[in-house]
Amino acid sequence: AFYCGLAQWIAGMLRLGRWVSHVPHAAVQGFTTGVAFTTAIAQTRPLMGVTVSSAGSPLSTAWRVMGAIPGLHGTTAALGLNCVALLCILRHIGPVKTAAPLLVTVLSGSIVFVCNLEDAGVEIVKQLPAGLPPLQPLLPYSALPYVWHSVLTLSCA
């Protein structure tokens, strides 16, 4: 993320935005669909209350999540699926459309607290770390010549 942000900042300073219009629409659609699929698979595990390894490709993770469905945590799955359904409903109601994620978060957190769902096995965030993590790149700067093409591809998408 750091390198992609840096590449986007440099592209902005060099006024390279006009060249983005030359990227084929199908390439942008494919990249966006791939990111959406990867994000959906990553969120399915905690949403359904299943514990599977996320190592490997998103497709193998999806396969492992489907295999773990018989062992899912019912209360967590019911809460998660109801939150998704409520989000889908609220996004069509004009006045609350933009506040829907906040409303669902507050409502689901309140339900977990009032019904004491932590005792029923619903995992909650107990303590949030204070402040921001230290800014440090994940890769050493010496690796940048080997990954620059990937960084530029991701920052332009």
Side-chain angles (χ1 to χ4, degrees):
F2 174 77
Y3 291 126
C4 287
L6 180 65
Q8 285 181 340
W9 181 77
I10 291 170
M13 291 292 113
L14 296 175
R15 302 215 177 261
L16 298 177
R18 64 181 175 267
W19 298 104
V20 174
S21 62
H22 298 291
V23 176
H25 182 68
V28 174
Q29 285 290 119
F31 182 79
T32 305
T33 302
V35 169
F37 178 74
T38 302
T39 304
I41 293 303
Q43 294 301 313
T44 301
R45 294 180 304 122
L47 178 76
M48 301 299 282
V50 296
T51 306
V52 295
S53 169
S54 61
S57 70
L59 196 55
S60 64
T61 302
W63 188 255
R64 285 191 298 274
V65 167
M66 287 189 296
I69 285 179
L72 65 83
H73 188 262
T75 309
T76 302
L79 181 66
L81 292 174
N82 280 312
C83 287
V84 170
L86 186 58
L87 275 172
C88 290
I89 291 168
L90 289 178
R91 71 178 233 185
H92 295 293
I93 299 174
V96 296
K97 184 185 295 190
T98 56
L102 178 62
L103 291 172
V104 171
T105 301
V106 170
L107 180 64
S108 62
S110 301
I111 290 171
V112 169
F113 178 75
V114 170
C115 298
N116 201 16
L117 293 181
E118 184 180 7
D119 290 344
V122 175
E123 290 187 32
I124 62 168
V125 177
K126 297 195 187 276
Q127 185 176 4
L128 293 176
L132 296 173
L135 181 62
Q136 59 186 24
L138 295 175
L139 293 172
Y141 291 113
S142 60
L144 196 54
Y146 301 105
V147 297
W148 68 269
H149 57 282
S150 297
V151 168
L152 289 177
T153 301
L154 290 173
S155 64
C156 291

